[in-house]
Structure formats: C-alpha cells, structure tokens
Amino acid sequence: MSNLHIRPVRKAVFPVAGLGTRFLPATKVMPKEMLPINDRPLIQHVYEEAVEAGIEEFVFVTGRHKEMLEEHFDFQPELEETLQSRGKTAMLDKVRSSEIPAGRLFLTRQPKPLGLGHAVWCAAKLIGDEPFAVLLPDVLVHGTPGCLKQMVDVYNGTGGNVIAVEDVPRGETFKYGIVDTGGQDADPQLKAMPVQGLVEKPAPEDSPSTLSVIGRYILQPEIFDHLSAFETGAGGEIQLTDAMAKLIGPQAFTAMRFTGQSYDSGSRLGFIQANMAYASQDTEIASDVRRSIIEFANMLKEKDQTNAAAE
Ligand code: UTP
C-alpha cells in the first residue's frame, strides 16, 4: 500500500460505560475509570497517551453514573484561581493538564453495557468515515513513547488495522484474545506481524500463538459495518474481536508487540501493581515509595518466616 493512501488517525474512542464489577463496592457510584493510579485517574493516563500519539478528537462512550468523567476534563475556574493566588504554580500546571481544549471532547451514551463491540459502535456517527483509535482505560501501558504512539508509527507504514499485543505464558491463553500470525511471532524481537486470525480465549493446546490483544486498537471505519449486525459472541456480549476478525483478509491487519509494561488496572492486582510502578517512578515521591515497598516486602518475609517456624 502506498503511504499516500494512509489516512491519519485523528480521533480516539474511550469506552467507559462498563459496570466495573470487579471493584465493587468502590465503583457503586464512582466510575472505575476515575480510580487513581498515582496522582491521576486511569482515564487521564490514557488520554495523555492519546495526545502524545497525535489524537485531536476524544470520544467518550459513557453510561449511567459516568458524568464525573467529563467533569474531570472540564475547566475549574475556582480551583485554578485559588491555586494561582497561593502561588502553587506546579499544582496549577497539573490541574491544567487535565483539561481537554474546547471543541475536542465528544460524548455519546451506551444505554446498556452490551459489550465492547457495542460500545465502539455507539461512537460510529462521531467517527464517521475515517480511521480511529480505541483505548481501553483500564489497561495502562508504561512505556516511552506510549503504546498508541508506537502503533501510529507502525500504522504510518502499514495502513489498515493495527492492534497492540504482548506475549503471555502459553498456559494462560484461555484468559485472552489471541492472534494467529501464521507462526511469524517466533522471533520475540519482531515488532510488527500480519494477522491471519483472532481467537477468543483458546485452550493452551489449541492456541495459534501466545500473543494476546491488550486493549489498544487502530481500526478502519468498515468495522462499523460488522458491528452494526449486533451479533453476540463470547459471554453473550457484542464483541469487538468478532467484528475485527471480519476485517482480516479484506484489509491489512497488523499485530504490534509494544515496548513497555502493561497493567490490567481493571483487576485489583493489576491496579495495585500499576500504582507501585507509576509511583516508584514519580520523581516527587519515588525514593520514599521504593523504600516503603522494600520495607513492606521485608516485613512480609519476616512474618512468613515466623509463621513457618511456628508450624
Ligand atoms: P471491562 O470488561 O474490563 O470493564 O471492559 P467492565 O465490564 O466495566 O469491568 P468488570 O469486568 O465488570 O469489572 C473494558 C472497558 O470497556 C468498557 C469498560 O468501561 C472498560 O473501560 N465497556 C465494556 C463499555 O464501555 N461497555 C461495555 O458494554 C463493556
């Protein structure tokens, strides 16, 4: 494909209409996407990743009790005035980093959480006929450059659809969407590979590879033709994976091994791991955080040894 035909990725969809059941009761009223990792909510981390990748328009697919998400990105005049009058300029800069400029935030509602594919379909009218990115806010990727920027760089060469993938242990393939690369993934240094198929949660012995889909996508608008069939798949939900599988063949479809560390912050363990990772690299608090983690680990070790000796 000639680069002349590769249209830029200017818009991104953030599906935020899920129920966040794994964090109940914390998410009974507060959206899961507002849970903080270090000093900013999950949704802001992925917003910043999108900005770095050159995204200009941000589409939130929201649902009931999710108004706080749009409020978070709004201008807060009283707060800014107070910080300004107290000379807290560093904090003011931080607050300003959470404002989406006028005319760039778009909202659409998913009336019922019918699945990720359905959530993306709800953004169809706002995306129109151009390629777009999808970022799942509960997956954080700690990397430089960010994961979506790495994907855009690959996309600028391949066009078509690009999804970020990572190697998982073969024994765990049944937990993930897995890509079939026709065996081209054998070299772990290989960054981009054409996708031949997508399988949702295959048994380890049947899995075509150990590359799992992580929640970052660059998709062509034809995906909406397939999503609008509203076919349900695994778990009775309208799955994005099923619609993506239909684009393989008619369109270029590339899997990209990203550089960085991913955290499934939609799970309680991944959320704690992400907090440790981000806080231990935040220059304001890094040394105290690292010392606390080590002290805590030593304390747990001593406890385990005392318990083992008592048995
Ligand atoms: P998840 O399945 O991880 O989120 O979807 P969830 O359903 O909210 O969480 P649990 O499993 O009950 O704890 C990944 C992302 O897709 C959004 C979610 O808000 C989340 O950010 N999503 C999921 C939707 O917007 N609509 C849906 O129908 C499903």
Side-chain angles (χ1 to χ4, degrees):
M1 194 186 294
S2 150
N3 277 5
L4 287 174
H5 298 117
I6 297 176
R7 293 183 291 171
V9 185
R10 301 184 315 109
K11 299 183 179 181
V13 175
F14 302 80
V16 292
L19 297 177
T21 54
R22 284 170 287 172
F23 277 96
L24 283 170
T27 47
K28 202 171 138 193
V29 176
M30 186 172 73
K32 170 176 77 172
E33 298 80 8
M34 283 303 292
L35 293 173
I37 301 292
N38 194 22
D39 62 354
R40 58 202 68 197
L42 278 165
I43 186 73
Q44 190 178 335
H45 284 280
V46 285
Y47 163 72
E48 288 174 3
E49 183 184 328
V51 170
E52 184 199 13
I55 299 297
E56 296 164 6
E57 294 185 14
F58 308 89
V59 179
F60 288 6
V61 183
T62 74
R64 296 179 72 226
H65 306 309
K66 299 280 182 162
E67 293 78 10
M68 202 189 282
L69 287 160
E70 60 209 72
E71 293 289 332
H72 176 75
F73 289 98
D74 209 352
F75 174 49
Q76 294 275 351
E78 298 86 3
L79 178 60
E80 295 203 6
E81 274 162 31
T82 306
L83 292 173
Q84 186 99 57
S85 68
R86 292 183 185 170
K88 302 218 177 240
T89 46
M91 196 54 76
L92 189 58
D93 287 345
K94 277 196 181 190
V95 169
R96 286 185 175 149
S97 74
S98 67
E99 284 166 16
I100 297 184
R104 291 177 182 247
L105 173 61
F106 300 87
L107 303 168
T108 180
R109 293 281 278 215
Q110 185 189 27
K112 284 186 196 165
L114 299 178
L116 180 59
H118 183 257
V120 172
W121 175 83
C122 291
K125 292 274 181 244
L126 294 169
I127 296 298
D129 185 27
E130 60 178 290
F132 64 102
V134 179
L135 297 97
L136 300 194
D138 48 6
V139 176
L140 290 192
V141 184
H142 210 198
T144 314
C147 184
L148 190 63
K149 170 78 174 76
Q150 296 176 39
M151 293 169 71
V152 167
D153 290 345
V154 167
Y155 170 81
N156 287 337
T158 60
N161 306 273
V162 179
I163 55 174
V165 295
E166 71 179 337
D167 290 286
V168 295
R170 182 161 279 277
E172 293 183 14
T173 55
F174 66 94
K175 297 183 192 166
Y176 305 101
I178 300 287
V179 298
D180 181 355
T181 61
Q184 284 199 35
D185 55 300
D187 175 3
Q189 299 305 318
L190 192 61
K191 195 165 160 114
M193 297 146 277
V195 174
Q196 298 186 2
L198 282 162
V199 197
E200 198 57 53
K201 302 185 173 63
E205 59 278 20
D206 302 328
S207 189
S209 81
T210 53
L211 287 178
S212 92
V213 179
I214 65 143
R216 294 288 184 278
Y217 316 81
I218 291 175
L219 299 170
Q220 295 298 318
E222 287 74 19
I223 191 88
F224 295 121
D225 300 340
H226 301 294
L227 288 173
S228 58
F230 301 129
E231 278 169 25
T232 51
E237 295 195 338
I238 299 167
Q239 298 285 355
L240 185 61
T241 310
D242 297 340
M244 288 194 305
K246 293 184 177 141
L247 296 179
I248 301 168
Q251 296 186 348
F253 210 111
T254 307
M256 184 203 82
R257 267 196 185 101
F258 61 91
T259 306
Q261 177 68 47
S262 74
Y263 296 96
D264 173 12
S265 310
S267 76
R268 286 190 290 162
L269 176 62
F271 175 77
I272 290 167
Q273 289 170 330
N275 261 308
M276 289 195 291
Y278 280 73
S280 63
Q281 289 184 37
D282 176 338
T283 48
E284 279 177 23
I285 54 169
S287 57
D288 288 342
V289 170
R290 283 163 192 243
R291 200 186 51 246
S292 301
I293 292 173
I294 292 165
E295 281 171 7
F296 193 68
N298 287 338
M299 187 191 77
L300 290 180
K301 217 170 171 183
E302 270 173 35
K303 261 194 183 169
D304 284 351
Q305 281 164 355
T306 314
N307 288 345
E311 274 172 15

